[in-house]
Amino acid sequence: MYLCSMTHKAGFVNIIGNPNVGKSTLMNALVGEKLSIITSKAQTTRHRILGIVNDDDYQIVFSDTPGIIKPAYELQESMMDFVKSAFEDADVLIYMVEIGEKELKNEDFFKKIINSNIPVILLLNKIDKSSQAEVEEKIQFWRKKVPNSFVYVISALEKFNVETVFYKIIELLPEAPPFYPKDQLTDKPERFFVNETIREKILQQYKKEIPYSVEVETEDFVEEENIIKIRSVIMVERDTQKGIIIGHKGSAIKGVGTDARKDLQNFFKKKVFLDLYVKVNKNWRSNDRQLKRFGYKD
Ligand SMILES: Nc1nc2c(ncn2[C@@H]2O[C@H](COP(=O)(O)OP(=O)(O)OP(=O)(O)O)[C@@H](O)[C@H]2O)c(=O)[nH]1
Ligand SMILES: [Mg+2]
């Protein structure tokens, strides 16, 4: 019998911060897979999404979370509950800020960060958009504001310094056995990634309030030898929004389908047939039962 002298490290590394700072871009870069959707609009991420990185002697369970906001309707309250849960089980907290911002959009959450008794890594992101002088000034600013943190400057988009942060995370991980099977990449099922990919295209293609009124549900996901046949519903809150999503003679929704199908083929590494349709689900964002149905509540 061989006794292994190497210790195993494992833990939850939870990424939090204001909307649009680059949390999802970072998680995808750290995991090396596109698990989270990314757009230029705030409030792209609505769920807590796990991304698991496995090696023989460690397992890092990253969590991407929704951007911190003051909730205005029930869906946003659920989104902030995901952020709260990320505070509760973190072994390492990643607080991401972007060049130009000065404070977290929720004072209570900020207090939790500066009073945290677990390690905090503060990442100053998007430094590719900034000058050296400005970056140095911001490092000083954030060191003072979050004195209990390890501060790093990064560009999640250009993957600058991401590897350095990765090694710091491994250093900070506690000794523990793995939490998930070593071949597991995420906690979410295939249909979730279908829904999110479609929602990403909607965020990119439509203006103003439309993307925020949309939820996507995949009704069929049938995998055959050479093709995956998918049927998904795009749900909106009102009749007028249905017309906008479809567009003149279906032109708008056709664009969503084409773009989503391309991404899904890359994600599943298989040919995809995607059938989309639109339904009204009145005020689903404020309806407890609907929020449960879509996985925003237990
Ligand atoms: N220039 C630059 N842009 C970045 C960088 N990282 C992310 N972005 C861009 O910032 C925007 C928001 O990125 P996301 O990763 O979706 O941000 P997020 O924090 O997950 O946003 P929410 O989910 O809405 O809270 C996208 O347009 C990204 O391409 C970076 O290092 N440099
Ligand atoms: Mg995000």
Side-chain angles (χ1 to χ4, degrees):
M1 183 188 154
Y2 290 97
L3 279 179
C4 186
S5 62
M6 204 119 77
T7 53
H8 190 274
K9 290 182 145 194
F12 285 80
V13 179
N14 302 343
I15 309 166
I16 53 144
N18 280 334
N20 211 43
V21 296
K23 298 178 296 299
S24 300
T25 307
L26 174 73
M27 170 146 112
N28 290 346
L30 287 165
V31 177
E33 293 275 346
K34 194 183 166 187
L35 293 180
S36 285
I37 58 169
I38 296 166
T39 80
S40 58
K41 292 200 174 80
Q43 294 178 59
T44 293
T45 306
R46 286 178 179 170
H47 292 267
R48 178 175 176 178
I49 303 162
L50 303 194
I52 308 169
V53 178
N54 293 296
D55 200 48
D56 285 343
D57 42 6
Y58 64 80
Q59 177 174 76
I60 315 175
V61 186
F62 290 105
S63 285
D64 184 18
T65 65
I68 290 171
I69 46 168
K70 293 202 178 81
Y73 44 87
E74 230 182 303
L75 167 64
Q76 292 183 330
E77 279 165 27
S78 296
M79 286 159 61
M80 292 310 101
D81 287 341
F82 290 133
V83 180
K84 269 180 214 154
S85 80
F87 272 103
E88 279 156 20
D89 61 24
D91 295 295
V92 176
L93 208 55
I94 295 185
Y95 173 27
M96 181 178 266
V97 299
E98 67 176 315
I99 285 285
E101 73 162 273
K102 288 215 160 62
E103 59 191 13
L104 196 61
K105 293 197 159 85
N106 179 314
E107 179 72 17
D108 291 339
F109 284 153
F110 183 72
K111 282 185 188 141
K112 280 193 193 194
I113 296 171
I114 55 171
N115 296 315
S116 159
N117 46 29
I118 56 155
V120 177
I121 298 177
L122 188 141
L123 298 183
L124 180 52
N125 190 33
K126 306 195 186 179
I127 62 155
D128 54 285
K129 293 207 302 192
S130 188
S131 68
Q132 177 112 26
E134 191 189 8
V135 170
E136 273 158 22
E137 183 203 315
K138 298 298 182 211
I139 293 173
Q140 297 314 319
F141 173 86
W142 286 106
R143 279 217 175 107
K144 251 187 229 147
K145 207 166 153 101
V146 190
N148 57 322
S149 68
F150 302 98
V151 178
Y152 291 88
V153 296
I154 66 163
S155 167
L157 188 68
E158 296 177 353
K159 298 193 169 71
F160 173 78
N161 242 358
V162 169
E163 203 177 37
T164 312
V165 173
F166 189 86
Y167 288 118
K168 183 67 186 176
I169 292 165
I170 292 176
E171 187 193 312
L172 294 172
L173 275 189
E175 280 178 22
F179 294 92
Y180 295 91
K182 280 284 177 100
D183 58 357
Q184 193 169 336
L185 174 66
T186 182
D187 62 327
K188 297 279 186 277
E190 286 159 332
R191 285 172 198 233
F192 175 82
F193 297 101
V194 175
N195 299 344
E196 288 288 272
T197 302
I198 295 164
R199 210 164 55 76
E200 181 182 72
K201 303 311 165 200
I202 290 167
L203 275 151
Q204 287 166 350
Q205 203 175 302
Y206 299 90
K207 292 192 192 100
K208 294 180 189 159
E209 191 53 23
I210 294 289
Y212 299 100
S213 313
V214 163
E215 179 62 27
V216 181
E217 190 176 55
T218 294
E219 292 183 332
D220 294 321
F221 185 99
V222 184
E223 183 155 8
E224 294 172 4
E225 203 182 325
N226 297 314
I227 195 168
I228 307 173
K229 292 176 180 160
I230 302 171
R231 178 179 158 90
S232 307
V233 199
I234 297 170
M235 282 177 223
V236 289
E237 292 208 298
R238 292 191 301 272
D239 281 319
T240 49
Q241 295 167 338
K242 182 174 170 178
I244 295 170
I245 291 285
I246 294 169
H248 182 63
K249 292 185 175 161
S251 57
I253 195 173
K254 199 171 164 213
V256 171
T258 306
D259 289 354
R261 196 171 61 83
K262 272 186 208 145
D263 280 19
L264 290 170
Q265 290 188 155
N266 282 333
F267 187 77
F268 292 115
K269 313 258 183 314
K270 216 176 215 180
K271 200 170 167 208
V272 166
F273 172 81
L274 178 62
D275 185 20
L276 288 177
Y277 69 105
V278 190
K279 236 183 191 168
V280 177
N281 182 339
K282 271 213 161 62
N283 300 324
W284 67 267
R285 293 185 304 181
S286 317
N287 181 322
D288 219 51
R289 211 167 56 86
Q290 296 304 314
L291 290 173
K292 279 183 189 140
R293 165 181 172 189
F294 301 135
Y296 294 106
K297 282 187 162 180
D298 301 326

